[in-house]
């Protein structure tokens, strides 16, 4: 102000002119202050809204993963707000999974991590009734493994729906986590090896195998539990009521010819991408088999014997969800069923039938499973 008055004096301005200059200066200062204040308020409001959006997206209740998907792979759900990225993965944005509500994911977002849905890099492809569910439940104890909850059957039943549909059934993962899926019928379905290869040539394949005779009985037991008037196992496993000719067209028998199916997979994948898990050992020593799986997947050995205990009532190993031995959990009652009594002569005949196929399988895998 002093400067202005000196300047005015120097210019010999009248006191009226001086007053005008003063008023104009004050007006300019006032307008500039108001403008800046408005600008700051607007920036701060925008920031607040964006934070709130993030928070809302993480606390909105989850929706079912099984929402309707159009055949072209686009989601028909209006509430999903995930987006597809250029690499084909799908970004986590809002309420399309229960993950969204979990504090873990809120924390991840606060740390600037972006959970994505990715296609699986590892598949449990079979074999049905060999312990595939146990394997999945055990390996998913690992914090770096995330798996689709139910069997997706993409490569055998829903292939025409496309990879986008498949990816949408995968859980959200963050960098460093493995996406996994289990559908045991993949192992025996003719078209599947080529289709998996087409998705990703580096897919890692986990295969649980068990003595094919026990496996056939387990398969039969499951089928019989759903059908009251099922014939006896012995009647179905052999042709013409005698034990001389094995019915190789009967599913429970056919699936046990592992070598035949494995040969198809080996046309598309090197043995180094396949890991065979002994179904028998998965029961006797789950920590050992899970150790092998973690090594194969390049994971730190986090799941150890501390996670397992033998449940005498169930007659099978059950698990603790954490090393701290909290939340004991056994597989459901459809796993570990009592098998019906089968004529020992029928069992012996089946063993004889499988022997050459088993030997072929040992030769292909380089592992002697020592089935009787
Ligand atoms: P049974 O029910 O005939 O005994 P899948 O999950 O591939 O369908 O395999 C089912 C089989 O897994 C069961 O067959 C059971 O023998 C075996 N299994 C392995 N570990 C198990 C566990 N910890 N609890 C229950 N069943 C287990």
């Amino acid at each position: 102000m002093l400067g202005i008055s000196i300047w005015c004096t120097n210019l010999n301005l009248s006191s009226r002119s001086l007053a005008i200059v003063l008023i104009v200066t004050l007006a300019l200062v006032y307008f500039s202050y108001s403008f800046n204040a408005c600008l700051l308020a607007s920036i701060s409001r925008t920031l607040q809204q964006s934070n709130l959006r993030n928070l809302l997206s993480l606390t909105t209740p989850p929706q079912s993963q099984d929402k309707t998907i159009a055949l072209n792979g686009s989601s028909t759900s209006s509430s999903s707000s995930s987006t597809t990225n250029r690499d084909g993965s799908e970004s986590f944005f809002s309420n399309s999974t229960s993950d969204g509500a979990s504090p873990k994911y809120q924390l991840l977002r606060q740390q600037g991590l972006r959970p994505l849905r990715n296609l699986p890099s590892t598949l449990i492809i079979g074999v049905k009734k060999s312990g595939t569910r146990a394997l999945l439940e055990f390996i998913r104890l690992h914090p770096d493994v995330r798996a689709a909850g139910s069997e997706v059957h993409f490569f055998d039943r829903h292939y025409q729906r496309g990879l986008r549909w498949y990816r949408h059934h995968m859980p959200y993962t963050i960098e460093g986590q493995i996406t996994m899926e289990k559908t045991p019928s993949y192992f025996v379905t003719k078209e599947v090896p080529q289709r998996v290869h087409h998705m990703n040539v580096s897919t890692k394949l986990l295969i649980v195998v068990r003595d094919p005779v026990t496996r056939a009985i387990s398969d039969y037991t499951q089928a019989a539990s759903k059908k009251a008037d099922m014939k006896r196992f012995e009647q179905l496993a052999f042709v013409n009521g005698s034990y001389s000719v094995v019915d190789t067209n009967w599913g429970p028998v056919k699936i046990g010819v592992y070598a035949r199916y494995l040969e198809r997979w080996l046309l598309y994948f090197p043995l180094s991408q396949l890991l065979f898990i002994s179904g028998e050992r998965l029961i006797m020593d789950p920590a050992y088999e899970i150790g092998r799986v973690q090594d194969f997947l390049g994971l730190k050995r986090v799941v150890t014997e501390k996670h397992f205990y033998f449940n005498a009532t169930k007659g099978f190993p059950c698990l603790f969800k954490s090393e701290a031995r909290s939340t004991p959990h056994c597989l459901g009652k459809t796993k570990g069923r009592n098998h019906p009594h089968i004529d020992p002569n029928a069992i012996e005949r089946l063993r004889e039938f499988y022997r050459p196929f088993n030997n072929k399988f040992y030769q292909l895998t380089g592992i002697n499973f020592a089935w009787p």
Side-chain angles (χ1 to χ4, degrees):
M1 228 24 96
L2 187 68
I4 292 171
S5 55
I6 292 167
W7 177 66
C8 291
T9 317
N10 288 344
L11 289 175
N12 287 330
L13 292 177
S14 67
S15 55
R16 198 161 148 242
S17 307
L18 188 65
I20 292 170
V21 169
L22 265 174
I23 289 167
V24 170
T25 310
L26 285 173
L28 279 174
V29 169
Y30 174 76
F31 281 123
S32 130
Y33 172 79
S34 310
F35 175 76
N36 284 333
C38 258
L39 192 68
L40 283 173
S42 148
I43 290 171
S44 130
R45 215 173 19 249
T46 311
L47 283 175
Q48 268 176 11
Q49 276 172 355
S50 113
N51 282 345
L52 192 64
R53 227 184 355 256
N54 284 346
L55 196 66
L56 278 176
S57 75
L58 291 169
T59 50
T60 311
Q63 67 183 47
S64 162
Q65 281 218 349
D66 289 327
K67 65 188 177 186
T68 320
I69 309 285
L71 277 181
N72 62 8
S74 63
S75 165
T76 56
S77 165
S78 57
S79 56
S80 171
S81 48
S82 59
T83 56
T84 304
N85 301 319
R86 263 198 245 158
D87 64 357
S89 59
E90 199 175 90
S91 295
F92 173 91
F93 266 112
S94 71
N95 53 351
S96 51
T97 176
S98 57
D99 289 342
S102 88
K104 186 173 82 180
Y105 277 82
Q106 289 190 31
L107 202 68
L108 291 174
R109 261 195 101 72
Q110 279 159 16
Q111 290 170 356
L113 294 167
R114 285 169 61 85
L116 303 169
R117 287 188 203 270
N118 286 305
L119 288 169
S121 59
T122 303
L123 294 175
I124 299 177
I125 56 173
V127 177
K128 182 186 177 196
K129 302 317 295 172
S130 295
T132 55
R133 174 54 60 180
L135 173 65
L136 184 70
E137 293 294 311
F138 296 170
I139 192 61
R140 76 196 304 191
L141 288 175
H142 199 293
D144 289 341
V145 173
R146 303 234 49 228
S150 55
E151 295 172 9
V152 181
H153 284 278
F154 171 66
F155 293 105
D156 58 343
R157 291 189 202 154
H158 301 293
Y159 193 62
Q160 70 289 353
R161 295 185 180 224
L163 286 171
R164 193 170 169 221
W165 178 92
Y166 188 36
R167 196 186 59 238
H168 196 83
H169 284 74
M170 293 303 126
Y172 282 100
T173 44
I174 54 163
E175 212 184 318
Q177 285 185 319
I178 290 174
T179 303
M180 195 178 281
E181 194 245 325
K182 150 184 124 78
T183 298
S185 49
Y186 289 164
F187 185 65
V188 296
T189 310
K190 203 171 168 198
E191 302 79 17
V192 174
Q194 188 191 13
R195 290 173 176 179
V196 175
H197 184 265
H198 185 251
M199 174 187 73
N200 182 359
V201 294
S202 335
T203 308
K204 291 189 175 177
L205 306 167
L206 305 179
I207 305 155
V208 197
V209 282
R210 174 188 203 183
D211 167 18
V213 179
T214 326
R215 199 218 67 81
I217 298 169
S218 171
D219 207 347
Y220 165 82
T221 308
Q222 172 166 281
S225 74
K226 294 175 188 163
K227 194 166 179 270
D229 56 348
M230 190 102 166
K231 287 184 182 167
R232 285 185 53 78
F233 177 88
E234 296 85 336
Q235 289 172 282
L236 295 164
F238 301 94
V239 181
N240 297 334
S242 78
Y243 295 159
S244 53
V245 186
V246 173
D247 188 349
T248 51
N249 287 322
W250 187 47
V253 165
K254 197 169 158 185
I255 292 174
V257 185
Y258 304 143
R260 180 179 157 208
Y261 303 104
L262 179 60
E263 277 176 334
R264 273 191 216 149
W265 284 91
L266 291 176
L267 294 176
Y268 293 90
F269 293 93
L271 201 55
S272 58
Q273 269 172 247
L274 278 61
L275 183 76
F276 298 91
I277 296 114
S278 156
E280 287 84 7
R281 193 144 191 186
L282 196 62
I283 296 171
M284 301 298 292
D285 190 355
Y288 174 84
E289 288 298 304
I290 290 303
R292 290 180 62 235
V293 175
Q294 289 170 100
D295 292 349
F296 177 72
L297 298 178
L299 295 167
K300 199 172 157 218
R301 283 195 175 211
V302 171
V303 186
T304 64
E305 62 283 350
K306 290 189 186 140
H307 287 91
F308 301 100
Y309 71 99
F310 183 80
N311 183 309
T313 318
K314 175 95 180 157
F316 282 91
C318 296
L319 45 93
F320 292 111
K321 295 220 163 165
S322 76
E323 245 187 49
R325 309 201 141 229
S326 58
T327 345
H329 168 74
C330 294
L331 265 61
K333 58 180 188 303
T334 60
K335 305 294 175 187
R337 289 186 173 103
N338 290 325
H339 294 174
H341 176 264
I342 309 290
D343 182 347
N345 294 322
I347 290 185
E348 192 39 49
R349 175 68 190 100
L350 281 174
R351 294 210 184 294
E352 206 178 283
F353 164 77
Y354 280 121
R355 211 156 284 136
F357 298 112
N358 288 347
N359 288 332
K360 178 82 198 242
F361 186 68
Y362 301 164
Q363 189 200 324
L364 289 172
T365 58
I367 306 169
N368 183 346
F369 287 90
W371 292 317

